[in-house]
Amino acid sequence: MPEERLTRDEDAVLQQQYLRALSSFEGIILSQIDIKNKLGDRLNYSIQAGLVILGAIAISILVLLLTLSAQINRISAVVHDMNIQFTSVAEQMHQVRGNMVNMEQRVALLEGIEGMTEVMNGAMELIDADMALMRETVRGINLHVAKVRNDVVNISVNMDIMNNEVQSMSYEMHQVAKPARSMNKMFPFP
């Protein structure tokens, strides 16, 4: 009988140890599940934050592209204005040629020196007026060239801003990837 009692006591002790081990194992499993749930939540938050950042980056790139498109339209308008100015210069040169032809005809038709001098003075005044118009046209062309230079400087500034945005995006992507790398170090998956 004492031996039977001993085996029962041992069985009871073993059963209690088994129950404790089982509850410890259950606690470990539950804590691992809780940790995995927390890590999953963190991963979801990281992914959401990454999507928000990528959306902001996409919007900023869209704004930069729209700005560049507007600059290209402005450059196109300036080039169109320059073409109009060049056409005007060509027309004025044609008028100058016409005036020169008129002057030659008048000089050939003049009989006296006084008449010739008067006609020449009139023609020279026309030439002076045409030269003044040409100077104004050249000033206008210079203004348009200055505008084009200004637009090119603006495009260069916008390209620098875009370059800075791309570098900032690269840095932010590197920062966003840090938690994932840390999780990979903590829980390496094959």
Side-chain angles (χ1 to χ4, degrees), residues 56-71:
I57 290 169
I59 289 170
S60 66
I61 288 174
L62 177 65
V63 168
L64 287 173
L65 288 175
L66 290 175
T67 303
L68 285 175
S69 171
Q71 293 296 331

Side-chain angles (χ1 to χ4, degrees), residues 122-140:
M124 289 304 288
E125 287 173 5
L126 288 174
I127 290 172
D128 284 340
D130 288 335
M131 290 298 287
L133 283 173
M134 286 176 65
R135 284 190 197 104
E136 288 299 319
T137 304
V138 168
R139 275 193 210 114

